[in-house]
Amino acid sequence: PDVSGFAPSFQLTSGSVLGAALSVDLASESGWLLQGSYTRQRVEDRRTGALRPVPWDAPHQLVGILGVPLGGRFQLTVAQQLRSGTAITPVKYRLLVPTPFGSYAWRLIPGEPLSTRRPNFLRTDVGVQGEWSALGRRWIASVQVINALYRTNGLDQSAGALIACSAPGAQCEYDGATRRGLPVIPSVGLEIRW
């Protein structure tokens, strides 16, 4: 059987990455914790002879973690991620093209590849963890909420969705994103060590 249609097509290209990072890591004897990092980078490929971003390029990335002791053996942790939005290809023109059925259809002409970006990615995770000893064992309980602010965080967008959602009065769920980040995910955990 012909399975050539199932094999992924990979294209080797040359590229470059240039960046710098700054990080901070502070902890106190009373249990406070602050960690943070900022990364500035540029990732580009040269497929067409011109420099342009790759789909996963994020020029700015900021990550922070704050740990706050709650008294006793419990600690609150807040983790924050902020980075540049995903690079997408905009639509340069919309053309009305006649169809054989006497009507018209849209034809979308793409603009410069990956020359614009979706809104910034922002995710906040919150958790509480407690540790104690009982019955000769070490107990660790945790409660966590991933994406606690319920941010949509669109990761990609098709040209059609971009046009439809930019129309006046358009009602687009998730801002027309074809791929999205994590929804709100609560979790509860219990670990026993012996």
Side-chain angles (χ1 to χ4, degrees), residues 54-163:
V54 294
W56 44 270
D57 180 33
H60 302 278
Q61 298 181 51
L62 181 63
V63 177
I65 299 173
L66 175 65
V68 180
L70 297 177
R73 295 181 174 88
F74 289 87
Q75 179 156 7
L76 170 70
T77 305
V78 178
Q80 183 76 53
Q81 298 179 48
L82 174 64
R83 66 175 180 261
S84 302
T86 305
I88 59 173
T89 300
V91 174
K92 189 171 185 178
Y93 302 109
R94 286 189 297 174
L95 302 176
L96 275 176
V97 179
T99 68
F101 309 107
S103 61
Y104 293 90
W106 287 110
R107 178 179 292 170
L108 305 177
I109 307 299
E112 186 66 28
L114 305 174
S115 61
T116 191
R117 292 190 177 273
R118 286 201 42 84
N120 290 338
F121 179 97
L122 173 65
R123 192 178 100 193
T124 304
D125 303 336
V126 179
V128 175
Q129 179 175 304
E131 297 186 30
W132 67 93
S133 295
L135 304 172
R137 307 285 186 261
R138 186 83 177 151
W139 302 73
I140 302 171
S142 63
V143 176
Q144 183 178 16
V145 179
I146 296 174
N147 194 17
L149 301 179
Y150 194 50
R151 173 88 179 215
T152 300
N153 289 319
L155 302 177
D156 202 355
Q157 190 155 4
S158 69
L162 190 64
I163 290 293

Side-chain angles (χ1 to χ4, degrees), residues 3-29:
V3 294
S4 59
F6 293 98
S9 174
F10 294 102
Q11 180 182 7
L12 294 177
T13 62
S14 63
S16 65
V17 178
L18 178 64
L22 174 66
S23 63
V24 175
D25 190 353
L26 303 171
S28 73
E29 290 182 12

